Amino acid sequence: MMTYTLPELPYDYAALEPVISGQIIELHHDKHHAAYVKGANDTLEQLAEARDKDQLGGIVGLERTLAFHLAGHVLHSIYWTNLSGDGGGEPGKDGAEGELREAIDEHLGGFEKFKSQLTKATATTQGSGWGVLAWEPLGQRLIVEQVYDHQGNIGQGSIPLLVFDAWEHAFYLQYKNVKPDFVDAMWRIVNWQDVAARFGRAKAAGALV
């Protein structure tokens, strides 16, 4: 059976300082993200065993557990490449970044209004979760989503392009309980080239139905 693997970071632990400390990145990637990968693989094994033995009485819990760990793995894999020590600012107005910028203007009222919405969505997530800029393929438009845990409260089929992690393990060692300060700082390390590339691939995939 194919298994999920923890992706390597595209930079050193300290590459995102001072916005995110190297200690946080190391713990976040090597411990928390790794736990989601292991959880997804373990749950797939349990599901395979349940199928083989025709013992599916615990299917509800297993499916929920798989969704939790798998979505955590997916979102974290996007998160690492969404960030860069050379990032920040706004998406450019040429090439792929220009196409992303035009879509933000059209669907979300311009960059500053989009920035305000995603910031608020991330900072006000109740408990653990994410703020997400996503491509919604049925309506062919950008949307901002507030994701609970890793997988709750999302549009079916929406494709994450830019994800802000609002779980405490992403910031607490550095920002304590002041989540809004962390979210504000995140804009200084957004890798707009990666976001624009994801946008291009999502649009090219076509409509969902």
Side-chain angles (χ1 to χ4, degrees), residues 10-11 15-16 19-20 25 28 78-88 162-165 182 186-192 194-195:
Y11 36 70
L16 303 180
V19 174
I20 307 178
I25 295 297
H28 196 168
I78 297 170
Y79 182 70
W80 305 126
T81 61
N82 271 174
L83 306 179
S84 170
D86 297 322
L162 172 62
V163 299
F164 281 4
D165 193 340
F182 169 66
M186 286 286 293
W187 292 99
R188 293 159 48 192
I189 54 173
V190 173
N191 181 354
W192 290 113
D194 180 69
V195 180

Side-chain angles (χ1 to χ4, degrees), residues 155-169:
Q156 291 297 319
S158 60
I159 302 170
L161 307 177
L162 172 62
V163 299
F164 281 4
D165 193 340
W167 284 65
E168 285 192 345
H169 63 239

